[in-house]
Structure formats: C-alpha cells, structure tokens
Amino acid sequence: MQIKTVGVLGCGLMGSGIAQVCAAVGYKTIVREVDDVTLNKGLGRVTKGKVTPEARDKTVGNLSGTTTFEAMNDCDVVVEAIIENLDEKRGVYAALEKVVSDHTILLSNTSSLCVTELAAATKRPDRFGGLHFFNPVPIMKLVEVVRALTTSDETYQTVFTFAQSLGKEPITAPDRPGFIVNRLLVPYLLDAVRCYEICLGTLEDLDKGMKLGCGYPMGPFTLLDFVGLDTTYYIANIMFEEFREPVYAPPPLLKRMVVAGRLGRKSGQGFYKY
Ligand SMILES: NC(=O)c1ccc[n+]([C@@H]2O[C@H](COP(=O)([O-])OP(=O)(O)OC[C@H]3O[C@@H](n4cnc5c(N)ncnc54)[C@H](O)[C@@H]3O)[C@@H](O)[C@H]2O)c1
C-alpha cells in the first residue's frame, strides 16, 4: 500500500511531534484539533525546533491543520494522539470512520490502553494497530509497533515500513501493558522510589549511581521528574491491575507525591525543585 497522506488526531505534546516528523519526510500531513486556539498552539510548536530554514519550509509546506473530520477524508494512515481516555478515543474513531476510505489504516499512540480494545471499537480491527512514539518525538529514534490481536499481517508490515520511512527505528511489541519499554522501565523507576523510601541513599547519590555506574543518560529521579510522577503512577496502576505482580505496584511515597501536587518538572517540584 502506498501512503501519500497522513492524518494526525490531536496536536498536543505528542501529536505536534508526530505531525512534524511525517511532514518533514514528505508526507502530506493534516492534523486535527478540537478548536483553533489549541490547533494554532500545537502548530506553533512544530516550527519552534532547531532545523535549517529549508527543512522548516518543507515541513510547513506539507503540513495543514483542521478542526473538522471531513478534511481528513483523503488520509491513507491516521495516527491518533488525543488525550488518554477510552471514551474520547472511541468518539474520534467513530467520527473519523464516517469520512475515511476502507483502506485507511488507523493507529493509536496510546501508552497504556489496550490496543485490541481500541481496535474492537472500530469497523476495521484488522487495519488497526498501535504506533507508540517517545517524547520528544522529533528527537527520539524509537517507535513501538504494537499488534492488536486482530491486526492483519499486511497492516503490520505497512505500519512497520511506515515507521522506518519516518526515520525511526521500529521494534515490534505485543499488546500487553507497557509494551516493551515501559514493561522494563516502570518496575525500575518504582524500585528506585522503594530504595529511596528505605533510605538506601540520597536522591543525588541514587541518581549518580545509576548515571555513572550504568552509563544511563540520567538517574531514575531526574527521569521520573521529566516523565511526570502522575503519568508514572497512572501507568503503574494499569500494569498492576493487569498483571497483579508486586513489581508494578506503585510505592506509597509515589502516591503521596502525586496527591500533594509534586508531579515533577511540569509542576515546579517533584523529587527535585525546578
Ligand atoms: N506524553 C508522553 O510522553 C507520551 C508518550 C507516548 C505516548 N503518549 C500518548 O499520546 C497521547 C497524547 O498524549 P499527549 O502527551 O500528547 O497529550 P496532550 O494533552 O499534550 O495532547 C492531547 C491533545 O489532544 C487533543 N484532543 C482531545 N480530544 C480531541 C479530539 N476529540 N480530537 C482531536 N484532538 C483532541 C487535546 O486538545 C490536546 O491538545 C496519549 O494517548 C498518550 O498516552 C504520550
């Protein structure tokens, strides 16, 4: 299947990055938001990155924004990156399916919802999959291609090749909570909080230990503050609910920091102050 036009639903943190990489490599890209104010804010983010003027012109030339679904009728692939809410996602799929072609592949950038359940909410469960990008999208090389139980081999192959065409390095992940990266990363971050709770070391020493001892680009508490403690707490709860294994259970301190509003960088304070 030849992909010419890509649609992106949502122009928030992830949607704007996804739209940017699609337009930058030459796909005609159309991104939908709920209103003009949010759309313009999202599109503004696309033009802020450090790129040459030529590259920026190419990206901007391929990119357009809309607040309607009708404008997306031409899309061969649509990547959904709206808020992490099952009912909202169901709603946009229903509206989108009224206008797109039969051949259109629908992908979700969800971090935590069940991809098979999202696929089942559409009329095209075989042409549905997960395409999980990492933040910041234009910089992070990895994408996880997530196969729902119903994703056809043809859809999977097309999506894998599409991810490569964006200059990304795809890996294949099953539809299980956390896919591959968060399945490994979340227990590690939760364990770091447990180590801090039992006073294994100071925040600085625990971070320094993992950074310099393991060659990680940043320690677990710097990373937790970057990702957001609320996001980590939310994902850990989903993983624990599904697997019922203690490694995924959020430690008491994490919950208390979230309810106290210490969410990390975005709130000005997490494990560190900003
Ligand atoms: N933030 C991350 O690090 C990250 C990483 C990987 C995946 N994800 C996933 O990506 C998705 C988006 O996350 P985000 O961080 O960009 O959130 P965000 O809040 O920054 O952006 C979501 C955007 O979706 C828009 N939106 C809501 N309803 C909509 C609708 N009906 N149609 C079009 N747009 C709509 C909102 O106006 C908002 O701008 C979620 O599914 C999330 O789990 C996030």
Side-chain angles (χ1 to χ4, degrees), residues 12 26-27 33 39 45 51 92 99 120 131 137 148 165 175 188 210 215 217 222-223 226 260 272:
Y27 291 113
E33 255 299 344
L39 178 65
R45 224 175 284 135
V51 288
V92 298
V99 301
L131 192 61
V137 179
S165 75
D175 178 24
Y188 157 70
M210 295 313 291
T222 308
L223 183 56
F226 181 71
Y272 297 103

Side-chain angles (χ1 to χ4, degrees), residues 11 16 38-49 63:
C11 197
S16 56
T38 325
L39 178 65
N40 290 332
K41 195 172 157 205
L43 289 175
R45 224 175 284 135
V46 172
T47 48
K48 266 193 194 144
L63 185 62

Side-chain angles (χ1 to χ4, degrees), residues 9-15 32-34 38 69 80-84 88-89 92 109-112 132-135:
L9 294 168
C11 197
L13 192 65
M14 298 302 288
R32 179 192 181 264
E33 255 299 344
V34 287
T38 325
F69 286 101
E80 170 272 308
I82 71 160
I83 48 168
E84 191 74 330
E88 282 282 331
K89 290 191 194 280
V92 298
N109 183 47
T110 182
S111 299
S112 61
H132 187 230
F133 290 84
F134 289 77
N135 178 30

Side-chain angles (χ1 to χ4, degrees), residues 1 76-78 103-107 124 127-128 155 158-159:
M1 173 184 159
D76 303 303
V77 169
V78 176
H103 77 266
T104 305
I105 293 177
L106 187 46
L107 302 167
R124 62 191 73 223
R127 281 150 289 149
F128 193 99
T155 299
T158 305
V159 176

Side-chain angles (χ1 to χ4, degrees), residues 1-9 18-19 21-32 61-66 68-80 96 99-101 103-107 124 131 158-159 162 165-166:
M1 173 184 159
Q2 214 203 341
I3 298 167
K4 287 193 183 135
T5 307
V6 178
V8 180
L9 294 168
I18 295 166
V21 296
C22 292
V25 299
Y27 291 113
K28 191 179 151 211
T29 306
I30 177 152
V31 59
R32 179 192 181 264
N62 284 327
L63 185 62
S64 59
T66 182
T68 73
F69 286 101
E70 286 72 23
M72 305 189 91
N73 66 343
D74 216 15
C75 294
D76 303 303
V77 169
V78 176
V79 185
E80 170 272 308
L96 185 78
V99 301
V100 291
S101 308
H103 77 266
T104 305
I105 293 177
L106 187 46
L107 302 167
R124 62 191 73 223
L131 192 61
T158 305
V159 176
F162 170 62
S165 75
L166 299 178

Side-chain angles (χ1 to χ4, degrees), residues 190 192-199 203 221 224 229 233 249-260 262 270-271:
L190 300 178
V193 178
R194 283 188 264 274
C195 289
Y196 181 59
E197 278 182 326
I198 60 162
C199 303
L203 286 177
F221 297 98
L224 275 159
L229 305 195
Y233 182 62
L253 176 62
L254 185 64
K255 174 179 166 178
R256 279 150 186 79
M257 294 196 55
V258 172
V259 296
R262 294 185 188 175
F271 284 100

